[in-house]
């Protein structure tokens, strides 16, 4: 599975964090969730953290979809 890429975040003065994926808004975090996100993104791989916080992370159907007859070639 390829590593996530294309995520960026902006930390604003009012305490909100906007996360985008390839320039499109993915989520907005406020308050304690924003603070928790910022602490986690500083201590780990930012791309993986942002993918997990936006819900765009390991849906669980990758192998099932690959083995479907429509996708086999």
């Amino acid at each position: 599975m390829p590593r996530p890429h294309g995520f960026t975040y902006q930390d604003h003065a009012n305490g909100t964090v906007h996360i985008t994926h390839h320039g499109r808004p993915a989520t907005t975090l406020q308050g304690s969730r924003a603070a928790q996100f910022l602490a986690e993104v500083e201590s780990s791989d930012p791309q993986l953290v942002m993918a997990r916080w936006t819900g765009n992370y390991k849906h669980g159907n990758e192998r099932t979809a690959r083995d479907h007859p429509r996708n086999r070639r």
Side-chain angles (χ1 to χ4, degrees):
M1 184 170 162
R3 294 180 48 81
H5 65 282
F7 288 99
T8 59
Y9 73 94
Q10 294 178 337
D11 183 18
H12 296 278
N14 63 0
T16 62
V17 175
H18 295 283
I19 302 175
T20 60
H21 186 239
H22 294 294
R24 299 178 122 181
T27 192
T28 300
L29 305 171
Q30 298 176 352
S32 63
R33 289 181 44 107
Q36 184 181 2
F37 167 78
L38 290 172
E40 191 173 331
V41 81
E42 292 297 324
S43 66
S44 187
D45 179 24
Q47 292 295 308
L48 289 174
V49 172
M50 287 184 274
R52 191 166 44 77
W53 277 78
T54 59
N56 189 9
Y57 182 72
K58 288 191 180 180
H59 300 286
N61 62 352
E62 289 86 2
R63 183 173 296 149
T64 306
R66 183 184 66 211
D67 294 337
H68 191 277
R70 174 183 60 223
N71 297 328
R72 281 194 244 161
R73 293 182 186 194

